[in-house]
Amino acid sequence: MKIGKVSILMLCLAISLFSCKKDDDNDTVETIPQRDRDEVQVEDKTEIVAYLESHYYNSTEFEAVINPSMVDVVITKLADGETTAPDGHTLLMESPLLKLEPIVFANTNYEFYILKLNIGGGDKSPTFADEVRVNHEGFLLDDDSTIFDSAVNPVNFDLATLIPGWRKALPFFKVAESFVDGSDGIIDYMNRGVGIMFLPSGLAYFSRGSEGIDAYTPIAFKFDLVQSFENDHDNDGVPSYLEELNGDGEFTISDPDDDTVTHDDTDLDNIANYLDSDDDG
């Protein structure tokens, strides 16, 4: 009887010690530090260039469309052994419509590519702080150009709340020239802005990733820009884009491994001017 009690006591003690050790181990788990933006940018550009040099689009067919949209663009990977695009097609990297745009974001010199298929016939371009109405299709730069997000009917986005690439790319385009509200309730936009942006991860989801997108993954978006609306986020009568004072086209820079750094805060109340109706105190 005593032997049984002693055995049970020793078993309980062993379980207790094992549990404490397990907790101690958990306390020492190391988190992976955020990578250097400059280093990741170099890697991302290499991946983007490789995609542009190995994929082509239906350039002749697209140019023949009277009122083109992003759905008219078809991207295809070169087959094994192919080095040039088939007749009527153009390698993305060789298209005269492909532009390399340099910008500075988060103290890093970034470069991203835009295929400017149709600039748009409207009378204005959105600012980095505006609300836009777009169709879009987001895809990865893998062999299958895997789609992770899409909207074939126009949706509204506030550029100030999207990943940086959107507010860097869309100001290069103009809204649609006109639109017709059909009897079936479908709006037909004429001469809209049509393009594809190829973004390094630093202008996309960087270290945090997103659903279907790993951290440090460059991505791309096809898009139609059809309308743009001037934002006044704090309703103080001053358009939001005029409340950005540093000239960098950014209100805040969010670092997932650090606190959000707020710029353009005139009265130093930790509220960015564009959200502060009394930003001068």
Side-chain angles (χ1 to χ4, degrees), residues 140-216:
L140 303 179
L141 305 184
D142 55 18
D143 288 345
D144 300 319
S145 298
T146 303
I147 297 172
F148 60 81
D149 185 24
S150 65
V152 295
N153 295 316
V155 294
N156 284 22
F157 286 139
D158 182 348
L159 290 179
T161 66
L162 296 181
I163 59 173
W166 278 97
R167 54 185 173 270
K168 306 304 181 186
L170 261 62
F172 287 104
F173 294 80
K174 293 184 178 181
V175 297
E177 182 177 350
S178 61
F179 63 90
V180 178
D181 194 349
S183 58
D184 56 1
I186 297 177
I187 299 177
D188 188 17
Y189 294 94
M190 303 300 296
N191 197 8
R192 72 204 83 191
V194 185
I196 308 176
M197 63 178 98
F198 299 90
L199 304 176
S201 62
L203 299 180
Y205 298 99
F206 198 51
S207 60
R208 69 182 186 275
S210 185
E211 185 175 355
I213 306 172
D214 293 335
Y216 308 114

Side-chain angles (χ1 to χ4, degrees), residues 217-229:
T217 298
I219 59 176
F221 282 98
K222 294 181 182 180
F223 60 88
D224 293 333
L225 172 61
V226 296
Q227 288 181 290
S228 175
F229 312 96

